[in-house]
Amino acid sequence: MADSELLDPEDTAPAREEGEQFDEDNRLKPEFVRDVRDALAAEDESAAYELVEPLHPADIADLLELLAPEERRALASAITDLMTVEVVAELNDYVRDDMVEALTAAAVANIADQLDTDDAVQLIEDLNDADQQAILAEMAPEGRAAIESALAYEGETAGRLMQRELVAVPEHLTVGDLIDYMRDNEDLPTEFWEVFVVDHRMRPLGTCQLSWILRTPRHIPLTDVMKRDQTLIPVDMDQEEVALRFQKYALISAAVVDEGGRLVGQMTVDDVVHIIQEEAGEDALLMSGAGEGDINEPIRDAYSARVRWLIANLGTALIASLIIAAFGAAIERLVALAVLMPIVASIGGNAGTQTMAVTVRAIATNQLTQSNTARILWRETRVALLNGATVAALIGIATALIFTPQLGAVICASVIINIVTAGLAGVLVPVMFERLNQDPAVASSVFVTMITDSMGFFAFLGLAVAAGLAG
């Protein structure tokens, strides 16, 4: 698609102000979406086009995500010239893949040629090899070479995500030379914040912010104003570590270097914002065993991602059931045990989830490492003791008033034991997964829940029997 087809954001302003398509939260109204659906059902492409034409590209992407797969393809066919690169860049991954599969290889290549390298890679990286090669064959040689280079790196690494579009200049230039170069060179990126200064081997020596360049006399050498202290990103660095470096050092952009230390690309803060959002959502979903948790995810993928953890949970639940069965006779003699034991397990489970969430986040942000694991474990143990004492006092008093003081003392002790166990498990289980080079968010919740349920039942029923309450 030609650049002239891109929508001017100012052209969309009047329609947005009228509020016909949007509610007070700037979301597309159900009535508007229904009108689009009705137009598509009636095969009235002109009516669908008139409805969609005033929308901003981001809102068109939202509309496509609200429609069923067959409706998306029909709408894309009706608004061909509105399906700009801006719309494609805003689409959800699954919706974008669905749209790409519905387009010809030439159409996808046309879109990819206009995208930044990192966005173009994201557009085609999940397609099968045959489709990828068909699209690459239709692309301009320069863009094809950049994408093929990016696809050679592992997914979710700096090499796969970096932008190849950057400004790099030799160290012998003056500020005036650089300004003239940027004004005369039409092949530079349309947006950039820093200029990278490199040696004859293309190794980065420093960076110059545009604000420094504009405020420095023309005769000053770049080597006198450039910032030599750099944060270099290796091409094989995981995206989560890249995000942590940007956060730690407050970076706007950073050079990406290959194994030989040569400049091959850059990471920018707008890319890192997407990484942070993606990683945060991914960790939250993995802790629940919900897979990717995308409402546009195919049903088969959602099923396979979730069912295996439900089966694992079934297996761990059997352990707690065996403990209950072992004390079946005691429960028959004192029905109050059956009434109270879920409380002990539930409180322990919640306490374990709290500690586990804190631990997983601390590991993800490098706040919890081998250097301070013992200290954090002791900290969480003390927190668990305080929480356990408070909750145990409340449930113990209530149980003593409703049943017997002896049973109140038993549940009080068992709650303290289970909450302390939950605190230890909430730290040790994620740390164990991290030491085994596994994502600590993936299965921690299943094992922490197993430990707290089993210990809760065992402590409560065991203490009750030991105290002679079920004798």
Side-chain angles (χ1 to χ4, degrees):
M1 296 177 187
D3 290 342
S4 60
E5 294 177 348
L6 297 180
L7 289 175
D8 184 349
E10 294 182 357
D11 293 340
T12 66
R16 294 173 67 85
E17 290 175 1
E18 291 174 2
E20 296 179 357
Q21 303 97 340
F22 304 92
D23 60 19
E24 61 277 6
D25 296 320
N26 199 37
R27 296 175 298 193
L28 292 171
K29 289 182 177 179
E31 297 84 359
F32 174 76
V33 177
R34 184 169 58 249
D35 289 342
V36 174
R37 282 198 171 109
D38 291 343
L40 295 175
E43 298 184 355
D44 189 347
E45 292 190 352
S46 61
Y49 186 96
E50 290 178 6
L51 288 167
V52 176
E53 193 271 337
L55 297 181
H56 186 278
D59 297 317
I60 296 177
D62 288 343
L63 175 61
L64 287 165
E65 292 176 10
L66 293 172
L67 300 178
E70 60 276 6
E71 293 173 327
R72 293 171 191 154
R73 300 186 185 99
L75 181 59
S77 175
I79 61 169
T80 304
D81 62 325
L82 299 179
M83 286 296 296
T84 65
V85 293
E86 293 174 319
V87 174
V88 175
E90 292 288 341
L91 286 173
N92 168 278
D93 290 348
Y94 288 105
V95 177
R96 183 174 58 247
D97 292 345
D98 184 53
M99 299 301 299
V100 167
E101 290 177 359
L103 296 173
T104 64
V108 178
N110 192 23
I111 294 173
D113 274 328
Q114 299 178 67
L115 292 171
D116 289 337
T117 305
D118 55 329
D119 293 327
V121 170
Q122 192 175 31
L123 179 66
I124 68 173
E125 65 180 346
D126 293 328
L127 301 178
N128 60 51
D129 291 341
D131 289 339
Q132 284 185 6
Q133 293 305 316
I135 293 169
L136 290 172
E138 297 286 344
M139 293 186 64
E142 184 178 353
R144 179 172 66 248
I147 292 178
E148 288 176 340
S149 174
L151 292 174
Y153 296 106
E154 292 292 330
E156 298 189 347
T157 61
R160 178 67 69 88
L161 301 170
M162 67 183 179
Q163 297 181 20
R164 269 71 177 174
E165 298 79 11
L166 52 82
V167 180
V169 296
E171 58 184 315
H172 61 77
L173 296 185
T174 65
V175 170
D177 294 333
L178 175 57
I179 292 175
D180 293 339
Y181 167 75
M182 290 191 294
R183 287 176 176 171
D184 297 337
N185 194 327
E186 297 180 355
D187 295 330
L188 296 182
T190 55
E191 294 182 359
F192 57 94
W193 295 272
E194 293 181 314
V195 174
F196 296 97
V197 182
V198 296
D199 63 14
H200 66 284
R201 295 183 179 179
M202 203 57 184
R203 295 178 178 176
L205 302 175
T207 59
C208 288
Q209 294 184 6
L210 294 182
S211 57
W212 302 352
I213 297 169
L214 293 175
R215 299 176 62 183
T216 303
R218 292 178 59 89
H219 68 277
I220 302 296
L222 289 181
T223 52
D224 290 349
V225 296
M226 72 180 184
K227 179 182 178 183
R228 296 181 181 275
D229 183 19
Q230 301 180 82
T231 300
L232 302 179
I233 307 294
V235 289
D236 58 353
M237 178 177 285
D238 184 82
Q239 66 174 19
E240 192 169 357
E241 181 61 29
V242 173
L244 289 174
R245 291 203 179 184
F246 267 72
Q247 179 182 3
K248 182 176 181 179
Y249 299 113
L251 302 175
I252 299 296
S253 63
V256 180
V257 295
D258 62 14
E259 295 81 358
R262 293 179 294 272
L263 178 66
V264 292
Q266 68 170 337
M267 294 292 298
T268 56
V269 69
D270 58 325
D271 300 316
V272 172
V273 168
H274 289 296
I275 293 173
I276 293 172
Q277 182 181 23
E278 179 183 328
E279 291 288 343
E282 181 181 282
D283 286 347
L285 291 166
L286 287 174
M287 287 178 65
S288 65
E292 294 191 21
D294 194 311
I295 59 174
N296 295 294
E297 185 179 14
I299 293 177
R300 179 178 297 179
D301 294 345
Y303 163 75
S304 62
R306 300 182 195 183
V307 73
R308 62 175 179 265
W309 293 115
L310 292 176
I311 294 174
N313 196 20
L314 175 63
T316 57
L318 290 175
I319 297 176
S321 299
L322 292 174
I323 293 175
I324 294 174
F327 291 94
I331 295 173
E332 289 179 0
R333 296 190 189 98
L334 186 61
V335 178
L337 297 179
V339 175
L340 295 174
M341 65 182 185
I343 297 176
V344 180
S346 177
I347 292 173
N350 289 334
T353 300
Q354 290 176 344
T355 306
M356 180 184 62
V358 172
T359 302
V360 169
R361 179 184 180 278
I363 292 173
T365 58
N366 283 343
Q367 292 179 311
L368 176 57
T369 66
Q370 294 187 22
S371 302
N372 64 347
T373 300
R375 180 173 64 83
I376 298 302
L377 184 62
W378 173 231
R379 175 191 180 275
E380 290 301 322
T381 301
R382 286 180 291 172
V383 172
L385 284 169
L386 292 173
N387 288 336
T390 302
V391 176
L394 295 175
I395 188 63
I397 292 172
T399 302
L401 293 175
I402 297 173
F403 295 101
T404 65
Q406 192 175 12
L407 185 56
V410 167
I411 197 171
C412 180
S414 60
V415 165
I416 292 176
I417 292 172
N418 200 25
I419 289 183
V420 171
T421 302
L424 295 173
V427 175
L428 293 176
V429 171
V431 167
M432 177 190 69
F433 275 102
E434 198 271 336
R435 298 290 189 271
L436 295 173
N437 294 321
Q438 302 296 318
D439 192 330
V442 174
S444 295
S445 60
V446 173
F447 291 98
V448 170
T449 301
M450 176 198 71
I451 293 171
T452 55
D453 284 354
S454 301
M455 178 53 69
F457 293 138
F458 181 77
F460 180 56
L461 297 175
L463 289 174
V465 171
L469 293 177

